[in-house]
Amino acid sequence: MKVNKIDHVSINVNDLSAAKAFFLDIGFEVRAEWEMEGELLDRVLGLRNAKTACIALGAPESQAWIELVKYYHPSDETETQQSYPYTLGIRHMAIEVEDIEAIVSTLKQKGTETFSEIQQYEQSYKLCYVRGPEGIILELAEKVK
């Protein structure tokens, strides 16, 4: 047995368009958009009458992708509970970027929360944690050249 690769990460959201815009601002590209419902989805999820809308986003030169999912049924309209990088469980994704200063500036102009200013870790990376829509936490990392 072996693991070949991480294929995608799924993020459930209530505001699909806001989450999509957030990832587009970082530099992701839309690979596909679709809606799904029916017997197959019900069996896969272990639900009844499930209905979703999905957007697949990927980095231009990467095979891995992010799947944003909006559940129309069953829905969860409760308010997102804000977490922090130290909260137990899966908390953030690290995204390697180019020109972290420009990306963080764009995100700040659009009201995105940052946990700090851009920090440099030794001589290897510039880092900045940001909180996107619905509590999504990303660690932006740029390799120092």
Side-chain angles (χ1 to χ4, degrees):
M1 286 189 347
K2 73 174 190 167
V3 174
N4 290 326
K5 66 177 182 173
I6 294 175
D7 185 73
H8 73 278
V9 174
S10 181
I11 303 171
N12 296 344
V13 298
N14 278 322
D15 190 340
L16 197 54
S17 60
K20 175 184 174 181
F22 173 70
F23 283 100
L24 292 177
D25 285 342
I26 293 169
F28 281 78
E29 300 173 343
V30 174
R31 293 196 178 158
E33 296 187 49
W34 68 95
E35 289 193 356
M36 195 170 177
E37 63 183 314
E39 190 177 320
L40 174 62
L41 183 62
D42 287 353
R43 284 195 318 265
V44 168
L45 297 175
L47 297 171
R48 298 190 69 163
N49 302 314
K51 181 177 181 181
T52 64
C54 305
I55 300 174
L57 298 153
E61 297 180 19
S62 174
Q63 292 180 343
W65 50 284
I66 295 169
E67 176 184 58
L68 300 175
V69 181
K70 162 69 176 162
Y71 278 85
Y72 292 107
H73 188 266
S75 66
D76 183 359
E77 299 295 329
T78 59
E79 186 175 316
T80 302
Q81 300 299 310
Q82 295 292 2
S83 61
Y84 296 91
Y86 56 83
T87 305
L88 296 178
I90 296 175
R91 238 7 90 211
H92 79 276
M93 293 187 313
I95 309 292
E96 186 177 310
V97 299
E98 291 181 14
D99 199 356
I100 192 170
E101 286 87 0
I103 292 170
V104 170
S105 175
T106 297
L107 293 174
K108 281 183 172 182
Q109 289 172 10
K110 295 186 176 204
T112 300
E113 175 189 353
T114 60
F115 288 85
S116 70
E117 295 302 315
I118 297 167
Q119 302 296 313
Q120 182 150 339
Y121 175 70
E122 297 179 349
Q123 295 302 313
S124 56
Y125 282 97
K126 293 179 186 178
L127 305 170
C128 187
Y129 279 73
V130 300
R131 185 189 315 272
E134 301 188 56
I136 297 168
I137 298 174
L138 294 183
E139 176 186 3
L140 304 177
E142 179 180 351
K143 282 187 179 179
V144 176
K145 296 174 181 162

